Amino acid sequence: MDTKQTHKAHRVRKAGASAKKKQQKTKNAEKNNPKAFAMQSAQRADRMARRKAELDEKKFHVPMADRTPKVAPPIVVAVAGPPQSGKSTLIKSLVRRYTKHTLSEIRGPVTVVSGKHQRLTFMECSNDISAMTDLAKVADLVILTIDASFGFEMETFEFLNLLQTHGMPKVMGVLTHLDGFKDNKRLKVVKKNFKHRFWTEVYDGAKLFYLSGVENGRYLDREILNLSRFVSIVKLRPLAWRSTHPYMLADRVQDLTDPEVLAANPKANRTVALYGYLRGTHMKGHDRVHIPGAGDYQLDQTEKLADPCPIPDKERKRLDERHKLIYAPMSEVNGVMYDKDAVYIDIRKNAHEEKAEEGEGERMLSELQKVDTISDRLASQQFSLFSGAKPVTADSVRRPAMFDEAVDGQDDGDSDSDADSDADLSDSTV
């Protein structure tokens, strides 16, 4: 017979006098022993207090909506600085790092594919206050080149003031011409002084990179690799004005005016086509736009074209399926470019190919480039009314007389009219 005794499980009191008494004991546990619940580290307490203050401050600001589409347009990277500070060399080095393509000359925007989901448009800022103002309106990231052998110049401060006026984008600094310092101790002091001065002008913690020297017309690969990685992963803050207004940085400009009209009147009104990536919001077909330096105009037509530098969206299955990693129409990059009604083929030769004979296809393209207007063709034509007479050209033919001027000669005789016609004929053939 099983004589083992069983007991019920203890049930904690959830109401009544005993439960209230126990709650009062656990409620004041921190007050009874404050040292047991104090911060062990003063640095950690400072960080937590700062973090709490930042979270409270964010509640007072309206969250800014990011209107970037799924396939974002290229990020505009402006390279600014005083003359002879290494702007062109820096862009060439970055383009070489991203695309393995060597540019002989930087002219206009240069768009490259920097990753699986990102593209960059490099734009060199010239030493002109108008160019600085225009580029400050569209730049998403600014790289300031500083000559370490000379220091900060007036162009750098002017451009920073323009950036603050148009909404401060992300700013990075590049210190060049460091190969002139032979003493390592002196070089270390110069780097430290420039870093603190750069932080004073921009903001604390701004990135400043150091480029020590140039080899084969480019900066060192390790230093450019470090800079390119930071450029690719930078987080941009959306600006309110740009996210609510459409704007476009023109990659290419084409004059569509009839050559006959320009030959007759060089100052005639032009029909111009602008190609570029649309940023901000949508643009309608007949909106009024402002072109810096030209004025306000109304769009006649707006069309969506294929992306000239698309993001690689698939794996290459064959070696001949090359992804286009660079798009720089103004810098004369080799390749074929298609438009709505035209095909552009670059047939520029290298130095070792200039002495070679042209093939049949190259001769045909060269002849097609020699376009003459009808006026030019008529000016070179001539004909003779009689055998052995002096040929008649376009310059020797007078303008025809008006009808009112010829009314006075209607009452004359036939002989007089014949004589006048012979005289007119002789004058025109001389």
Side-chain angles (χ1 to χ4, degrees), residues 331-376:
S331 298
E332 298 182 0
V333 177
N334 295 332
V336 180
M337 183 171 55
Y338 297 93
D339 268 352
K340 176 182 62 174
D341 54 355
V343 180
Y344 301 91
I345 304 175
D346 189 2
I347 58 173
R348 191 184 65 173
K349 296 184 178 181
N350 297 325
H352 64 278
E353 297 178 352
E354 291 181 354
K355 297 182 180 180
E357 296 183 359
E358 293 184 350
E360 183 178 357
E362 294 181 350
R363 287 197 301 269
M364 181 184 68
L365 291 176
S366 299
E367 293 295 332
L368 288 175
Q369 291 179 350
K370 300 177 182 178
V371 179
D372 296 333
T373 61
I374 298 178
S375 301
D376 297 336

Side-chain angles (χ1 to χ4, degrees), residues 187-199:
L187 179 61
K188 187 176 181 180
V189 173
V190 169
K191 287 182 178 179
K192 184 178 180 181
N193 294 337
F194 271 108
K195 181 179 69 174
H196 288 290
R197 181 59 192 277
F198 186 70
W199 286 4

Side-chain angles (χ1 to χ4, degrees), residues 219-282:
Y219 292 109
L220 301 182
D221 293 340
R222 176 55 57 182
E223 298 170 348
I224 290 298
L225 175 62
N226 187 25
L227 175 60
S228 63
R229 285 177 175 175
F230 273 89
V231 172
S232 300
I233 65 175
V234 66
K235 293 183 179 180
L236 305 176
R237 185 174 66 92
L239 301 180
W241 193 93
R242 298 183 189 178
S243 60
T244 55
H245 294 77
Y247 65 98
M248 185 184 72
L249 177 63
D251 296 328
R252 184 168 60 89
V253 181
Q254 184 181 359
D255 191 359
L256 304 179
T257 312
D258 191 359
E260 297 292 335
V261 177
L262 295 180
N265 183 14
K267 296 184 179 181
N269 294 334
R270 304 292 185 94
T271 302
V272 180
L274 302 175
Y275 300 86
Y277 291 94
L278 181 63
R279 297 172 173 87
T281 57
H282 301 284

Side-chain angles (χ1 to χ4, degrees), residues 5-176:
Q5 186 178 2
T6 59
H7 299 279
K8 291 183 178 181
H10 176 69
R11 293 187 299 176
V12 180
R13 300 282 295 182
K14 298 182 180 181
S18 301
K20 290 181 179 180
K21 187 177 181 180
K22 193 171 183 179
Q23 288 178 0
Q24 290 295 332
K25 289 183 179 180
T26 57
K27 184 177 181 181
N28 299 326
E30 296 183 6
K31 295 181 179 179
N32 296 335
N33 190 6
K35 291 186 177 180
F37 298 93
M39 273 293 178
Q40 300 296 326
S41 174
Q43 295 180 354
R44 183 181 178 187
D46 182 64
R47 288 198 302 267
M48 292 183 65
R50 290 176 180 271
R51 175 63 176 168
K52 186 175 183 305
E54 290 178 358
L55 293 177
D56 294 339
E57 185 68 21
K58 285 183 179 180
K59 295 179 182 179
F60 297 103
H61 295 275
V62 179
M64 188 175 297
D66 189 3
R67 303 176 185 272
T68 306
K70 185 177 181 180
V71 181
I75 299 174
V76 180
V77 181
V79 181
Q84 304 299 325
S85 61
K87 300 187 295 295
S88 299
T89 307
L90 178 61
I91 295 178
K92 292 178 183 178
S93 303
L94 289 173
V95 171
R96 176 71 179 180
R97 165 69 183 87
Y98 285 121
T99 65
K100 306 299 182 183
H101 195 286
T102 303
L103 293 179
S104 59
E105 184 180 3
I106 302 298
R107 188 183 302 170
V110 180
T111 304
V112 299
V113 177
S114 60
K116 294 182 179 179
H117 307 287
Q118 188 187 61
R119 292 167 294 180
L120 302 175
T121 297
F122 294 100
M123 187 72 178
E124 181 179 352
C125 182
S126 59
N127 188 21
D128 183 16
I129 191 67
S130 299
M132 292 181 182
T133 305
D134 297 337
L135 203 54
K137 298 176 183 178
V138 298
D140 300 318
L141 173 64
V142 176
I143 300 178
L144 291 176
T145 56
I146 305 167
D147 189 353
S149 62
F150 193 85
F152 285 90
E153 299 186 39
M154 188 59 63
E155 289 83 2
T156 305
F157 299 122
E158 289 177 353
F159 193 64
L160 285 175
N161 291 334
L162 290 171
L163 291 178
Q164 294 175 357
T165 305
H166 295 91
M168 193 69 176
K170 203 77 171 181
V171 179
M172 292 183 180
V174 173
L175 204 59
T176 60

